[in-house]
Amino acid sequence: MEVPETRYARSGEGSIAYQVVGDGPFDVVFVPGFISHVELVWTVPSRAEMLERLATFSRLILFDKRGTGMSDRIDGAPTLEMRMDDVRAVMDAAASARAAILGVSEGVPMSLLFAASYPERASALVLWGGMARMTWAPDYPLGWTEEKYSREAEADLGLFGTLDEAERVVRTTGIDDPVEVRRAAEYYRRSASPGAVRALSEMNREIDVRHVLPTIHVPTLVVHGTEDKAVPFAWGSYLAERIPGARLASFRAGHIPTGSVTAEIADEIERFLNEVRETGGWEETTVDRVLATVLFTDIVGSTQKAAELGDKGWHELLQQHHALVRRQLVRYHGKELDTAGDGFFARFDGPARAIRCACAIAEAVKELGLEVRAGLHAGECELMNGKVGGIAVHIGARVAKEAGPGEVLVSSTVKDLVAGSGIDFRERGTAELKGVPGEWRLFGVERA
């Protein structure tokens, strides 16, 4: 197949390389693994075969994630929410209002987060060889130990040694055809730099989107190879077991399938997406639940301050405070939902933006001689007449109550979603939040 034309979508200050292939009745956005190159991918036989097959029944949109391939380079690694912004920018540029999101390997966590955060734009999910978390935790014994993860990450850097060394790395994914191995090695070597791969590996070590799984409400197909050594089959099973209504399709294949199994996987994806289409999956739908980050702030010692200033002085100070907070909400794309007395309640579609907004508010109010406390939580919220409600909102309000003067306090859920953001936290222990079952791990945001 002739290499399709590469175009660029503007996302914030970056440019994202993308291609559109095929003219099927519905759109599929292909979210690649950890590194990619939209033009060189067509030189790798198995990859080209799969993409060509997908394009026979869909309008296929593929792109290079920020920092890889032909997209703009950045320092470090892009956050999950930055990647979501890039997907939306590519969809807008390709005039795609609603699409199936097909996430591969490392692209799966962001695909999950995208479908939960923007259900109006995701008609279905296909999760291929992916995971919700990679490293071990007491409640996730499937994960790799830190030592195992470090060994695997170091092995990936073999792609940037000699070409022979790169080919040895490629063979560990289950590819053995000499031509396929050589083309794949060249593809990887030209898709990113060693420094970019190190940064991505460090970010992936921290990613944990397990709590997002129950919030997925679009039809979902999990595709996984039973002989996958790069991403164990158990990690894919974990996804299928915890996403409501998800279907698991297993194939005798490694991480990167070749030969006849490539066609089998494409056939399974086509059947699934046609079922979604037949049941109205691509039609516009009313969204009543969405994954969001909620922020609560309030002024410390407001009653005492009001008594000192009197009604008129306090009212003037409150007006200045409100104007300052609203400027920061605009700056960080937050949506004001309510203002009760001296407190703000706002919603964000990205947790890192929400944290940075809270920190900016905490710093800015100092010029008014004020201190605020702020609390954040990310979870599934009910949409009600432009506002949000539900248990996630109650948790966010309770987290704010636990914050100290001048502190920005977050739930562990928020912390887990900002991998690669450069935001540092300090452990604040566990707390019982009034009216909320169980104990919650809380973290204070470290500010310069």
Side-chain angles (χ1 to χ4, degrees):
M1 181 174 177
E2 207 173 296
V3 176
E5 179 184 4
T6 300
R7 303 172 186 175
Y8 285 89
R10 194 70 179 166
S11 179
E13 296 180 356
S15 295
I16 308 301
Y18 76 98
Q19 296 175 348
V20 179
V21 190
D23 58 359
F26 51 76
D27 291 349
V28 172
V29 175
F30 188 92
V31 181
F34 83 124
I35 55 177
S36 67
H37 193 296
V38 289
E39 294 191 351
L40 287 178
V41 69
W42 297 99
T43 69
V44 185
S46 65
R47 305 294 181 89
E49 181 183 349
M50 174 58 73
L51 295 176
E52 287 175 13
R53 180 70 178 81
L54 294 173
T56 63
F57 60 82
S58 73
R59 179 173 174 261
L60 182 65
I61 302 166
L62 56 152
F63 69 100
D64 287 328
K65 289 181 292 192
R66 188 183 297 240
T68 69
M70 298 178 67
S71 292
D72 276 352
R73 296 296 189 259
I74 61 170
D75 291 331
T79 62
L80 292 176
E81 67 190 65
M82 187 183 292
R83 289 180 174 181
M84 289 197 297
D85 290 344
D86 294 346
V87 170
R88 287 188 298 147
V90 166
M91 289 179 69
D92 290 345
S96 178
R98 192 166 167 81
I101 309 299
L102 197 169
V104 178
S105 189
E106 188 247 26
V108 164
M110 187 274 285
S111 299
L112 287 161
L113 197 57
F114 185 92
S117 301
Y118 308 107
E120 73 281 4
R121 305 208 66 171
S123 53
L125 267 181
V126 179
L127 309 173
W128 182 349
M131 75 303 286
R133 176 187 173 108
M134 298 187 74
T135 54
W136 181 92
D139 57 348
Y140 190 71
L142 303 175
W144 287 337
T145 63
E146 288 293 326
E147 293 76 15
K148 166 75 170 171
Y149 185 89
S150 295
R151 287 197 303 271
E152 295 293 327
E154 195 62 31
D156 286 340
L157 290 171
L159 292 167
F160 302 97
T162 66
L163 190 54
D164 286 345
E165 290 172 326
E167 290 181 4
R168 280 196 292 273
V169 174
V170 169
R171 289 191 186 93
T172 65
T173 65
I175 300 175
D176 55 13
D177 177 78
V179 173
E180 181 84 17
V181 168
R182 174 55 64 96
R183 297 280 179 81
E186 293 171 343
Y187 162 74
Y188 283 125
R189 288 161 62 86
R190 293 166 65 183
S191 293
S193 67
V197 170
R198 283 189 185 277
L200 288 168
S201 294
E202 286 306 306
M203 183 188 77
N204 290 336
R205 185 195 299 269
E206 301 174 17
I207 286 177
D208 186 350
V209 297
R210 288 178 295 162
H211 62 277
V212 174
L213 304 183
T215 73
I216 302 296
H217 299 299
V218 300
T220 303
L221 173 68
V222 178
V223 176
H224 218 104
T226 56
E227 299 174 7
D228 192 336
K229 293 182 176 61
V231 179
F233 181 74
W235 295 359
S237 297
Y238 184 95
L239 296 175
E241 290 166 4
R242 287 161 178 79
I243 297 173
R247 179 194 307 174
L248 175 63
S250 60
F251 295 87
R252 188 175 179 182
H255 192 55
I256 302 175
T258 58
S260 61
V261 73
T262 301
E264 293 174 20
I265 292 174
D267 289 344
E268 181 67 26
I269 293 172
E270 180 179 14
R271 279 193 297 269
F272 170 71
L273 294 181
N274 276 326
E275 287 176 15
V276 174
R277 181 189 176 207
E278 290 166 6
T279 54
W282 263 267
E283 297 173 3
E284 288 189 15
T285 183
T286 301
V287 173
D288 57 7
R289 302 185 73 83
V290 67
L291 181 71
T293 301
V294 293
L295 164 66
F296 287 86
T297 69
D298 72 89
I299 298 174
V300 176
S302 57
T303 302
Q304 181 181 349
K305 196 75 172 178
E308 292 173 0
L309 296 174
D311 289 343
K312 182 179 179 183
W314 174 244
H315 178 73
E316 290 176 354
L317 182 61
L318 209 55
Q319 291 298 103
Q320 294 176 52
H321 165 269
H322 285 14
L324 184 152
V325 171
R326 286 176 176 133
R327 283 198 297 273
Q328 299 304 329
L329 290 176
V330 170
R331 178 184 175 191
Y332 290 98
H333 309 292
K335 182 177 181 181
E336 178 184 337
L337 299 177
D338 199 7
T339 307
D342 58 26
F344 269 79
F345 168 33
R347 163 193 166 191
F348 296 78
D349 60 2
R353 276 193 287 267
I355 291 174
R356 291 193 170 102
C357 182
C359 292
I361 290 170
E363 289 300 316
V365 298
K366 290 178 180 178
E367 68 187 48
L368 302 178
L370 297 174
E371 274 191 312
V372 297
R373 56 171 60 87
L376 300 101
H377 176 65
E380 187 175 38
C381 299
E382 299 174 34
L383 296 178
M384 302 174 293
N385 299 319
K387 296 190 176 183
V388 296
I391 187 65
V393 174
H394 292 294
I395 294 171
R398 298 294 182 266
V399 171
K401 294 292 185 184
E402 297 290 325
E407 184 177 33
V408 175
L409 194 64
V410 308
S411 67
S412 58
T413 307
V414 173
K415 176 181 177 293
D416 290 340
L417 289 177
V418 297
S421 66
I423 298 172
D424 295 321
F425 302 89
R426 64 182 180 280
E427 184 86 45
R428 279 274 265 104
T430 59
E432 292 185 0
L433 306 180
K434 185 178 178 181
V436 181
E439 289 190 333
W440 290 78
R441 291 180 67 203
L442 303 179
F443 297 84
V445 178
E446 295 281 12
R447 307 206 315 269

